[in-house]
Amino acid sequence: MQTASALSWNWNYSATGVTASGTFTTNDKPNHLGFYLITGITGTRNGETITGLLSAGTAIPGNEPYHIDNLISLNSPQLTREGFGYSTASGSYSSPFFASFLPTPGYLEVFSALPFVPDAENCGPEDTELDIDFSATIIHRGRMSSS
């Protein structure tokens, strides 16, 4: 059995008509840029249960080819340009990220719902990309066991 350290974080973001919050689990050592890898997620988006974290290196359905990296930092900006992605109970997907490429950089959320379109250039009417206020803080340093 191996034991590894983990961090627990509270996170939240909001925009007009959108509220999301919950907890992350990350590894306990940041990479050379100060980012921790998100390995688990719980929470809600607009009252709907978050059902899972998407794998780093994939895109949320409807936002291809933009891949997520699931990285978070204590420092600003807390998210990368790739951000993280998760699914919800209704089969929708969300990807908050830091839009460093904008004239005024800031956090955005891409939301994708059925029916999914093949790429981000052809978003459906149910899909959105909104400016958000994002925040995350470490709440617990713990240990994970694996066999």
Side-chain angles (χ1 to χ4, degrees):
M1 182 186 288
Q2 293 180 329
T3 301
S5 294
L7 301 176
S8 294
W9 303 60
N10 278 338
W11 63 271
N12 66 78
Y13 64 86
S14 61
T16 302
V18 176
T19 301
S21 64
T23 59
F24 292 136
T25 302
T26 68
N27 59 357
D28 70 335
K29 301 266 189 274
N31 68 15
H32 67 286
L33 297 174
F35 287 89
Y36 298 82
L37 179 65
I38 301 168
T39 57
I41 190 171
T42 62
T44 59
R45 182 188 184 278
N46 286 356
E48 186 178 352
T49 301
I50 294 172
T51 55
L53 180 70
L54 276 67
S55 298
T58 63
I60 66 169
N63 198 40
E64 295 85 359
Y66 301 107
H67 294 175
I68 58 174
D69 61 14
N70 293 343
L71 295 176
I72 184 84
S73 176
L74 288 169
N75 303 315
S76 184
Q78 290 192 277
L79 299 175
T80 66
R81 185 174 175 163
E82 289 77 26
F84 65 96
Y86 63 85
S87 58
T88 65
S90 69
S92 298
Y93 295 86
S94 179
S95 179
F97 65 98
F98 186 73
S100 59
F101 52 87
L102 293 176
T104 302
Y107 295 105
L108 297 176
E109 178 214 48
V110 171
F111 177 76
S112 182
L114 289 169
F116 299 118
V117 293
D119 62 70
E121 299 301 316
N122 298 301
C123 293
E126 62 289 323
D127 301 335
T128 59
E129 184 173 81
L130 300 173
D131 291 321
I132 59 171
D133 292 317
F134 179 87
S135 177
T137 56
I138 294 174
I139 57 170
H140 178 69
R141 296 179 186 270
R143 297 190 89 51
M144 300 182 304
S145 295
S146 61
S147 46

